[in-house]
Amino acid sequence: MRAVRAELSKLSTLPSVWLAALLAVVVPTGIALLNRGVAGPDRGYQELAFGVMGVIVLGVVAVSSEYLAESADSGGGRQLTTSLAAVPSRLRFLAAKALAVVLVAVPLAFTAAAATMGVVQARLDAGRLAGVVCYWTYTALLAFAITVLLRHGIVPLTVLLVNTSVVSVTFLLTKVTPLANYFPDMAGVRMFVGKVANDDVSISPLVGLLVMSAWVAGLLVLAGAVFARRDA
Amino acid sequence: MWSGRPAGWLGGVITIDGLVKRRGGKEILAGIGFEARPGRVTGFLGPNGAGKSSTLRILLGLDRAQAGTALVDGVPYPALPDPVRTVGAVLDGSGAHRSRTGRAHLRWVARSAGLPPARVEEVLTLVGLADAAGKRVGGYSLGMGRRLALATALLGDPSVLVLDEPLNGLDPEGIRFVRTFLRDRAQSGRTVLLSSHLMGELAETVDDVVVIDHGRIVAKGTLAEVTGAHRNLEDAFFALTSGSGR
Amino acid sequence: MIRAELSKLVSLPATWTTLAWTLAANVLLTFVIAVGDAPVAYSRAGFIVLGVLATCSEYTGGQIRTTLTAMPRRVRQLAAQHAALAVVTLPASLVVALSGPLITMVVAGTPVALWQVAETTAYLTLLTLVSAAVGVLLRHTLAGVGLLLGCLFVAAPFVHEYLPDDLVTLVVSTPVLLIVAALAYRRRDA
């Protein structure tokens, strides 16, 4: 638990994490405000599906900050060296970090959902809101795991942000093969978005949850295995 | 001081006058001034955080001062017609991007001053980095990074060398190399200004000494003048900067 | 000075990796999802990364100190850096802009619309320069990339109706951002 507390204090002292928190709330509410004219059963939820930018940034910087070389003035070292000296078990370190990300992502998702729903004044649905929180947390963990694998934030940040675009790449891929519906983001949004524009494959919220869980678990295990083996 | 320039005069007088630097309401430099002359090694001494690096960064045009001037041959650094050939600077670290090779780093600096690529190989050999020139800077040891910084400074064979803590991170062999090297530079009529918080390492290398503490000059003169009645430079230094928390 | 900046850019492995991945992504997307230059809507992200990297890489390993001691006239140095970036980006944009329509021509026989290729090339080059200017202002690669991608991919679709055409917006914002970046760059401590 001490390791988790250390990771939480690391996160809370990173300026980019505060920026991520701000984005997490501002982006979906902002989209909701701009989208006021549009009606439909997915009002608010749709915005929350696009507005995951904040948690993507959170997941990426939680890891990339460890790999960032400090300025030459402070010796040019990486924080990771210090971290692993403090918590030598790689897997415990990674688990503590992932847990800290979850502990930040969950309240962020709640806040963002509350703010967005406040803007659109839609009827609240506990099940769908749970889906939103789950989707957001999973997205943060996806970003986290991919950044661990790559040891650098640029690529996951670019790919994941590009894919939050209204017409996402994974969505376009569904036109080529129905299998693309099982990408983590495409499956995950089914947890709370009833209709993904002109879709021809119907995935129930439960299946969506299972598919995205499998992706996140798989990538986390892979990240853990790679991280445990390679040189820090 | 000079009535006309003698033959072989390379120039390179550093004149610092009344420098004031405040950062976030804190006064880092409180009007400091001194001079570093050709043919001499000037040691700029002070405890950590006394304002040594800030002074050198202002001299090199990296930071801005709120008041005062820092000139090389009467010209502010950014206005020098050919900076790489006039001043060579060694600041903290390697000053190079870690994913570039040492050679590639020196090449772009050489290009910026219109120096031939052959000069890059010369300085690499001079600092003993020829074997590691094709390696990425990220894989360099601390000492190799410092040697790369020195090589960068020497590219233009400048008449002034400015070094911030040049002995940091060097092994005994490296320290010896840098010391002899700096003496040779001064001997050939060039100006050497170096900052350090290591007194013992410097006493044998410097001709003139400037001592700074809390952003103020507390002593300046030749080594003998500053040492004065004290046993050695180190004793004099602690007497001058006592109470500064070091 | 431009040659120094060019050799800096060219010896940075990240420049080539970024360009290679951008082209690969563009070609792949053309085959998989779309025709013509539609995939550029996604692969322009690569040019954003390239632009931000070009200026933010200065702040890795304290290279900025070497740069500014070698070329202390800051505005001129910055101009040279952007010029060098344009020299590298222009052909790269052309290749990326051409790749989609060329593939479409081979596969479907649709002729290449040259005017559109030129427009896309200009768009990508300007976008790279804007990204470089943002990089100068932020001095942090991740922040720069995040901000620009957020604007382009998350915010832009929703404010699109309030803005003129993409290219027009860029033509206006490029000089403005460059000037702001130069002013900040000239004034601040390195």
Side-chain angles (χ1 to χ4, degrees):
Chain A
M1 271 314 98
R2 267 189 313 186
V4 179
R5 229 180 267 160
E7 289 303 329
L8 272 177
S9 84
K10 262 190 223 170
L11 285 183
S12 65
T13 45
L14 272 181
S16 28
V17 166
W18 290 101
L19 188 71
L22 187 73
L23 286 173
V25 180
V26 168
V27 170
T29 43
I31 298 176
L33 276 174
L34 287 165
N35 248 0
R36 253 169 324 195
V38 191
D42 288 331
R43 282 289 284 126
Y45 296 103
Q46 200 81 55
E47 283 79 357
L48 285 163
F50 295 132
V52 284
M53 183 176 176
V55 281
I56 292 176
V57 174
L58 168 71
V60 169
V61 298
V63 181
S64 70
S65 60
E66 293 280 346
Y67 285 103
L68 203 67
E70 290 151 24
S71 68
D73 312 271
S74 47
R78 290 168 157 187
Q79 186 185 288
L80 187 61
T81 329
T82 321
S83 303
L84 288 180
V87 185
S89 155
R90 301 269 177 107
L91 287 180
R92 246 187 68 209
F93 164 71
L94 208 60
K97 209 171 193 52
L99 194 54
V101 168
V102 171
L103 288 177
V104 176
V106 168
L108 267 185
F110 268 112
T111 319
T116 310
M117 289 309 175
V119 168
V120 301
Q121 293 170 333
R123 205 168 53 81
L124 293 182
D125 177 331
R128 291 174 94 186
L129 280 181
V132 170
V133 173
C134 187
Y135 179 71
W136 276 47
T137 312
Y138 275 174
T139 306
L141 285 176
L142 272 182
F144 173 88
I146 299 174
T147 316
V148 171
L149 287 170
L150 297 177
R151 285 186 275 191
H152 205 292
I154 298 263
V155 175
L157 188 75
T158 308
V159 171
L160 291 172
L161 282 188
V162 167
N163 204 46
T164 60
S165 179
V166 178
V167 183
S168 69
V169 177
T170 41
F171 172 73
L172 284 175
L173 284 175
T174 60
K175 313 241 170 192
V176 181
T177 159
L179 279 179
N181 282 300
Y182 295 93
F183 267 112
D185 58 326
M186 289 308 287
V189 291
R190 313 281 176 151
M191 289 188 274
F192 57 96
V193 173
K195 188 167 152 55
V196 179
N198 61 17
D199 55 340
D200 32 49
V201 178
S202 67
I203 296 175
S204 71
L206 183 65
V207 174
L209 170 71
L210 288 177
V211 170
M212 197 174 183
S213 304
W215 274 99
V216 172
L219 277 168
L220 279 177
V221 168
L222 185 63
V226 170
F227 185 72
R229 277 154 170 263
R230 80 179 162 215
D231 291 343
Chain B
M1 198 180 342
W2 297 93
S3 52
R5 295 178 173 187
W9 193 78
L10 293 161
V13 184
I14 298 174
T15 323
I16 291 174
D17 191 27
L19 278 192
V20 175
K21 173 77 183 172
R22 279 178 293 267
R23 206 176 275 135
K26 202 175 153 249
E27 193 157 64
I28 293 160
L29 299 177
I32 71 162
F34 63 88
E35 199 171 69
R37 282 169 296 152
R40 302 186 72 84
V41 177
T42 306
F44 188 32
L45 313 180
N48 286 332
K52 301 186 298 288
S53 297
S54 293
T55 309
L56 299 187
R57 289 176 63 96
I58 292 169
L59 171 65
L60 295 167
L62 294 172
D63 288 2
R64 311 277 188 228
Q66 269 84 20
T69 53
L71 308 173
V72 178
D73 287 334
V75 179
Y77 185 87
L80 286 173
D82 198 349
V84 174
R85 284 196 182 79
T86 318
V87 179
V90 180
L91 297 179
D92 259 356
S94 63
H97 192 285
R98 69 180 123 78
S99 68
R100 237 188 280 282
T101 65
R103 181 176 282 118
H105 172 70
L106 290 168
R107 284 238 168 109
W108 75 254
V109 182
R111 288 229 166 97
S112 77
L115 294 161
R119 180 63 190 154
V120 168
E121 304 306 319
E122 278 173 38
V123 292
L124 279 168
T125 315
L126 186 64
V127 300
L129 266 186
D131 292 338
K135 273 203 337 182
R136 299 249 171 108
V137 174
Y140 280 16
S141 68
L142 190 54
M144 288 160 85
R146 304 292 295 166
R147 281 167 191 265
L148 180 62
L150 187 60
T152 315
L154 293 174
L155 268 177
D157 192 20
S159 49
V160 177
L161 267 187
V162 175
L163 308 100
D164 195 10
E165 306 281 0
L167 304 180
N168 266 6
L170 290 184
D171 54 13
E173 189 204 348
I175 292 181
R176 195 185 156 82
F177 167 77
V178 168
R179 271 200 201 142
T180 343
F181 181 78
L182 295 181
R183 288 265 24 120
D184 287 351
R185 296 294 288 187
Q187 220 94 69
S188 65
R190 293 174 169 85
T191 312
V192 178
L193 172 62
L194 61 91
S195 81
S196 183
H197 61 273
L198 302 167
M199 302 314 118
E201 304 288 359
L202 271 175
E204 307 151 45
T205 316
V206 300
D207 304 303
D208 296 327
V209 179
V210 178
V211 184
I212 181 173
D213 190 28
H214 283 108
R216 281 167 217 285
I217 303 286
V218 291
K220 57 183 167 186
T222 63
L223 181 63
E225 285 166 9
V226 172
T227 310
H230 298 281
R231 200 150 44 94
N232 53 32
L233 181 60
E234 197 165 353
D235 283 0
F237 176 78
F238 282 116
L240 287 162
T241 62
S242 61
S244 72
R246 278 278 301 167
Chain C
M1 223 183 252
I2 293 181
R3 292 193 36 179
E5 292 297 339
L6 256 182
S7 98
K8 217 193 264 185
L9 201 57
V10 167
S11 65
L12 202 62
T15 307
W16 299 110
T17 347
T18 310
L19 284 176
W21 279 107
T22 308
L23 182 63
N26 197 64
V27 169
L28 202 68
L29 284 175
T30 313
F31 272 118
V32 175
I33 55 163
V35 289
D37 55 6
V40 167
Y42 300 98
S43 49
R44 60 188 169 159
F47 286 87
I48 292 181
V49 174
L50 177 67
V52 175
L53 271 179
T55 43
C56 286
S57 62
E58 289 289 343
Y59 296 91
T60 304
Q63 183 185 284
I64 186 72
R65 297 188 299 242
T66 313
T67 298
L68 289 181
T69 40
M71 297 171 267
R73 287 173 197 82
R74 294 192 187 184
V75 174
R76 253 199 258 176
Q77 184 267 326
L78 195 66
Q81 190 168 41
H82 278 82
L85 184 59
V87 169
V88 171
T89 314
L90 199 64
S93 323
L94 184 64
V95 170
V96 170
L98 256 177
S99 65
L102 266 186
I103 291 168
T104 320
M105 186 177 79
V106 172
V107 175
T110 333
V112 175
L114 282 179
W115 180 245
Q116 197 153 10
V117 169
E119 229 175 75
T120 311
T121 308
Y123 175 84
L124 290 176
T125 310
L126 287 177
L127 185 64
T128 313
L129 293 180
V130 163
S131 309
V134 171
V136 170
L137 289 169
L138 294 180
R139 291 186 266 186
H140 194 298
T141 319
L142 273 185
V145 170
L147 177 78
L148 284 159
L149 290 179
C151 286
L152 244 69
F153 286 90
V154 183
F158 295 96
V159 294
H160 202 78
E161 48 196 299
Y162 309 108
L163 286 174
D165 175 67
D166 277 354
L167 190 55
V168 176
T169 316
L170 260 185
V171 168
V172 176
S173 57
T174 309
V176 173
L177 269 167
L178 283 179
I179 290 168
V180 172
L183 287 177
Y185 192 59
R186 197 173 58 147
R187 292 199 43 184
R188 74 182 169 211
D189 288 348

